[in-house]
Amino acid sequence: MGIFVNKETQVIVQGITGRDGSFHTKKMLEYGTKVVGGVTPFKGGMNVEGVPVFNTMSEAVSRTGADTSIIYIPPAFAAGSIIEAAEAGVRNIVCITEGIPVADMMMAAHFVRTRGVRLFGPNCPGIITPGETKIGIMPGHIFKKGAVGVISRSGTLTYEVVHTLSAAGLGQSTVIGIGGDPVIGTKFTDCLEAFEKDPATEAVVLIGEIGGSDEEMAAAFIKEHFSKPVTVFIAGKTAPDGKRMGHAGAIIQGGKGTAESKISLFREAGAAVVDLPVDIAEAVKAFF
Amino acid sequence: MKLLEYQAKQLLKEYHIPVPEGFVVKELSMLSQPVQHLGGKCVVKAQILAGGRGKAGGVRLAGTPKEAEEAAKALLGKPLETYQTAGKGETVHSLLVEEQLVFQKEIYFSITYDRETQTPVLMLSARGGVEIEETALEDPESIKKVRVNPLTGIQEHHIRELFLFLERGKEGYRSFTDLVTNLYRLYVERDAAMVEINPLVILSDDSFLALDAKMIIDDNALFRHEDLVKIRSVPDDELQEVHAREKGLSFVKMDGDVACMVNGAGLAMATMDMIKHYGMEPANFLDIGGSSNPQKVIEALDIIMRNPKIKVIFINVFGGITRCDDVANGFKKALSQRPIDRPIVMRLTGTNEKEGREILESIGYDAFSDLREAVIHLKEVYQRSQRGGM
């Protein structure tokens, strides 16, 4: 089954007529995702890959009954699209967009919580339950159904890790990119809580990076509440203080948020921490 | 994007926040009039983006016009080295010449955002003029933080809580309320990531005034602040990074001699970590991003080749949205435009890998598909280059 999304999940694509939106609608349909509608203002009535397009999210949700949306909307309008989706009544929102102003995201993140809506991202590759549904931009063919849950702040590094896991015969239950921005919806701890309860997940891989304190909170959670084996890689050991390393959230500030401090907390919590991303599969294999 | 002090103070003035009377001076010949206007006594402040300016001698008190001239001569056009300029110094292109003020107390005040609670946070400390990181270490009890729900915005009780922390009765509450309200409005309306007033001073009439100002604008929000982009000033050592950003690349220069070019920020960081793990030093962080644009590869190689220290170049691409054939095409085109006289090691896998490899083969290049094998080979090539051979 995996966590948060499965083969029953019905998806609306916000920004479906755009370059990325239409391309990934096709890719998601090919993977088997139930894409039931799309939204682009003033393009209602069109079709994209056989999927009906609506003018608003509220129309799309009431006509299709979808419970999840994925957002491919430019940064200036993306936070507004998150709020629109939450008001329309979906339960999950996946926001792919990179570059949303922090002030907009603070507002949107607080708003979705008041509605009890789960937000993934922004600035993330999305979420996939292999063999069931892919709600995101990841290359579907590298994933394999299995028992390893993967959570990550990054996109391509996740692909790298999943690729080696699959090659080693270690399939995945659900893989979640939580996003590289400083203000995101679902955090590592939320995913760990769900993986703990998920019978399909037997081990977890956590891919963190410098900046912020989500990894620190995850380490504390693992120590207190998590019973399954966790393998960790933290990117950015070579990153200098005060520089943003590509992701808006990947920045060491005043000596806080370094890879070393995160690594030592995970070790203390009993997680297996590897030095290189290419070592992950071997470390996970030890638990099976 | 960081603002210079005088630019930040210009914004404060627009938002009715009291600042000292001051003038921007960009040439020595422009100095005498403002100094005269201020009555001969003034403060001469070097305008640089790096912090730690005061301790580095970048802020000078002048009691006479002659002293002001000496201070200006010592600063203008010269590099100012602070603990934040990484041993290089930042050239002083302008000065802020301000009136000298008498005040009864100096405190610290800032508005920034807290990643953990995802809210704006107002921060106040009775220790003015001291860096907040230092205060946090030495005397954390002297810092008061108030978080503001972004959905409801700042309320009177937030300000009251901060003011009561100062333990000074009711005198000056009106002035403090105006200042905090206006500053919060500025923080929201101008998409500041941080506004820091250190020190915020209390004058003899109990009113508050911003003696210094630091401001960082959220880079993601610059699209709605064209007026600020126009006045942008970039320190010498960040020119390349800003230039790269304009081209859609994310670049950070490092001290090593192994260049790398990667798609995706996480993988780029991990690639640097692997280079280091195998005993080499990365020369840069470079993320070409997720899109499929051969032009980006050309720009990226161009930025890499500007660093004369480079011994080898490592290209690591895991195709997702990025297509391997687009990267290979960009590489081919870059080579046709300019020869690259350093060894290049490539790792290429994922979307359209086969097509990408065919393009590379046509120009005599090969690529690994396994990351570890690629880095081990990179190390061999690097060692050969160290010995002087290719």
Side-chain angles (χ1 to χ4, degrees):
Chain A
M1 272 293 278
I3 60 171
F4 303 134
V5 295
N6 55 44
K7 59 179 185 295
E8 311 299 333
T9 307
Q10 299 200 324
V11 182
I12 306 273
V13 178
Q14 291 177 261
I16 193 168
T17 56
R19 195 180 59 105
D20 292 336
S22 57
F23 177 77
H24 287 289
T25 296
K26 183 163 177 266
K27 293 284 173 193
M28 287 189 287
L29 286 166
E30 281 170 10
Y31 196 81
T33 306
K34 288 201 170 105
V35 181
V36 296
V39 169
T40 297
F42 307 107
K43 299 216 171 151
M46 264 180 70
N47 269 286
V48 173
E49 303 291 329
V51 171
V53 180
F54 303 96
N55 284 316
T56 65
M57 269 303 284
S58 74
E59 190 190 356
V61 169
S62 68
R63 294 275 290 279
T64 64
D67 60 0
T68 296
S69 90
I70 181 163
I71 295 175
Y72 301 95
I73 302 274
F77 311 102
S81 301
I82 293 172
I83 295 169
E84 183 184 357
E87 285 184 342
V90 298
R91 288 210 333 258
N92 302 300
I93 301 168
V94 178
C95 186
I96 304 297
T97 311
E98 175 173 8
I100 305 176
V102 173
D104 297 8
M105 261 326 294
M106 283 197 286
M107 201 178 284
H110 277 263
F111 180 72
V112 296
R113 269 176 216 130
T114 65
R115 295 282 172 128
V117 175
R118 176 170 296 287
L119 170 67
F120 296 96
N123 191 8
C124 78
I127 174 168
I128 177 168
T129 295
E132 297 198 25
T133 190
K134 172 182 110 158
I135 306 168
I137 58 173
M138 54 289 261
H141 68 273
I142 61 170
F143 296 83
K144 216 176 130 179
K145 196 175 175 66
V148 182
V150 180
I151 33 181
S152 170
R153 272 168 73 186
S154 136
T156 45
L157 181 54
T158 312
Y159 310 160
E160 180 79 54
V161 169
V162 165
H163 178 66
T164 58
L165 285 173
S166 295
L170 295 160
Q172 305 90 39
S173 54
T174 297
V175 178
I176 304 161
I178 63 169
D181 269 9
V183 177
I184 54 171
T186 301
K187 300 188 178 192
F188 281 137
T189 44
D190 303 308
C191 301
L192 287 168
E193 209 179 329
F195 277 136
E196 176 69 18
K197 291 182 198 143
D198 176 36
T201 302
E202 289 168 34
V204 166
V205 170
L206 187 153
I207 306 157
E209 63 192 35
I210 53 159
S213 55
D214 279 9
E215 288 83 359
E216 284 79 347
M217 290 193 283
F221 185 88
I222 290 168
K223 203 172 181 177
E224 299 294 325
H225 310 291
F226 204 69
S227 65
K228 301 174 185 184
V230 183
T231 306
V232 174
F233 172 73
I234 304 292
K237 280 200 274 282
T238 39
D241 196 316
K243 293 281 184 191
R244 254 171 235 291
M245 307 302 279
H247 286 153
I251 178 168
I252 300 168
Q253 282 164 308
K256 289 223 175 84
T258 63
E260 287 74 19
S261 74
K262 289 170 193 280
I263 287 169
S264 76
L265 286 171
F266 277 116
R267 289 222 162 100
E268 247 172 71
V273 184
V274 295
D275 280 339
L276 302 175
V278 290
D279 292 337
I280 288 178
E282 199 152 320
V284 176
K285 236 180 177 167
F287 297 118
F288 285 89
Chain B
M1 167 187 161
K2 286 184 191 162
L3 295 183
L4 289 165
E5 179 194 4
Y6 80 84
Q7 297 169 334
K9 280 181 167 163
Q10 189 57 45
L11 280 179
L12 293 184
K13 267 203 254 178
E14 280 174 33
Y15 281 80
H16 310 293
I17 294 161
V19 295
E21 184 176 17
F23 303 88
V24 181
V25 171
K26 295 189 175 173
E27 283 166 52
L28 270 181
S29 62
M30 310 291 285
L31 182 72
S32 63
Q33 212 177 359
V35 173
Q36 213 169 13
H37 181 92
L38 296 172
K41 257 175 93 175
C42 61
V43 192
V44 178
K45 305 176 90 177
Q47 299 297 290
I48 57 170
L49 294 166
R53 171 185 66 162
K55 279 184 192 149
V59 177
R60 303 189 181 198
L61 287 177
T64 63
K66 190 164 184 302
E67 282 177 24
E69 200 188 321
E70 280 163 13
K73 267 188 187 158
L75 293 171
L76 202 55
K78 310 254 163 60
L80 184 61
E81 204 171 306
T82 82
Y83 78 97
Q84 277 194 0
T85 56
K88 280 175 225 134
E90 185 181 329
T91 308
V92 179
H93 295 293
S94 55
L95 301 170
L96 178 60
V97 179
E98 283 186 336
E99 62 177 323
Q100 283 190 23
L101 281 168
V102 183
F103 47 85
Q104 43 163 313
K105 193 174 166 52
E106 46 183 346
I107 61 174
Y108 170 97
F109 184 71
S110 70
I111 309 178
T112 173
Y113 68 91
D114 177 34
R115 287 175 68 159
E116 215 162 293
T117 56
Q118 308 184 329
T119 58
V121 55
L122 316 175
M123 223 187 303
L124 180 141
S125 167
R127 293 176 30 138
V130 182
E131 280 184 43
I132 195 69
E133 291 84 3
E134 206 174 298
T135 305
L137 282 176
E138 288 169 6
D139 188 10
E141 297 291 300
S142 75
I143 300 174
K144 174 78 178 168
K145 288 182 185 179
V146 172
R147 293 179 173 80
V148 175
N149 185 318
L151 295 178
T152 45
I154 195 162
Q155 304 293 326
E156 192 268 341
H157 72 274
H158 295 132
I159 303 169
R160 201 190 322 142
E161 250 183 82
L162 290 169
F163 190 75
L164 288 170
F165 187 73
L166 288 173
E167 296 182 319
R168 43 178 298 117
K170 230 189 124 187
E171 304 311 319
Y173 184 51
R174 182 76 240 164
S175 165
F176 184 75
T177 303
D178 287 346
L179 183 136
V180 175
T181 309
N182 288 328
L183 197 63
Y184 188 83
R185 199 158 59 83
L186 186 164
Y187 169 85
V188 173
E189 289 179 3
R190 307 315 302 255
D191 279 294
M194 187 202 69
V195 195
E196 185 183 71
I197 311 293
N198 188 23
L200 172 63
V201 297
I202 308 173
L203 302 177
S204 57
D205 64 353
D206 293 312
S207 70
F208 288 75
L209 174 142
L211 199 60
D212 198 357
K214 258 188 210 157
M215 213 178 286
I216 301 174
I217 306 296
D218 177 6
D219 285 326
N220 283 352
L222 288 178
F223 67 86
R224 54 191 178 207
H225 301 288
E226 276 173 34
D227 56 332
L228 298 179
V229 176
K230 271 191 206 135
I231 60 164
R232 169 171 227 162
S233 89
V234 181
D236 314 339
D237 63 328
E238 282 177 28
L239 274 172
Q240 269 192 311
E241 291 169 26
V242 172
H243 172 79
R245 201 183 154 94
E246 281 162 7
K247 306 273 183 196
L249 305 166
S250 188
F251 175 82
V252 177
K253 191 171 178 309
M254 305 278 295
D255 289 329
D257 51 10
V258 177
C260 54
M261 174 180 132
V262 188
N263 68 320
L267 188 58
M269 272 187 274
T271 302
M272 284 168 58
D273 295 347
M274 282 194 72
I275 289 171
K276 175 101 180 170
H277 184 87
Y278 280 91
M280 299 166 279
E281 290 290 335
N284 62 271
F285 167 93
L286 177 53
D287 168 17
I288 59 170
S291 90
S292 277
N293 188 347
Q295 188 59 31
K296 276 196 182 177
V297 179
I298 298 172
E299 307 276 8
L301 278 168
D302 192 45
I303 288 173
I304 284 176
M305 289 307 290
R306 273 183 222 169
N307 182 352
K309 264 171 80 178
I310 300 299
K311 295 246 166 56
V312 288
I313 298 168
F314 182 42
I315 300 176
N316 181 16
V317 171
F318 197 114
I321 309 189
T322 308
R323 288 162 33 184
C324 292
D325 53 334
D326 280 337
V327 174
N329 268 325
F331 182 70
K332 183 179 169 183
K333 211 165 154 199
L335 284 189
S336 72
Q337 284 172 6
R338 60 173 304 169
I340 291 180
D341 56 356
R342 312 294 149 84
I344 297 167
V345 174
M346 243 184 290
R347 184 281 181 115
L348 204 59
T349 195
T351 311
N352 293 5
E353 179 175 336
K354 198 171 142 270
E355 293 86 338
R357 285 174 181 282
E358 277 164 14
I359 295 162
L360 289 181
E361 258 167 49
S362 74
I363 52 168
Y365 277 88
D366 195 5
F368 288 84
S369 67
D370 183 80
L371 178 54
R372 193 197 307 267
E373 281 171 23
V375 176
I376 289 171
H377 180 69
L378 177 72
K379 170 94 189 196
E380 289 165 13
V381 173
Y382 177 75
Q383 283 170 333
R384 245 179 280 152
S385 80
Q386 289 287 78
R387 290 196 294 268
M390 296 291 276

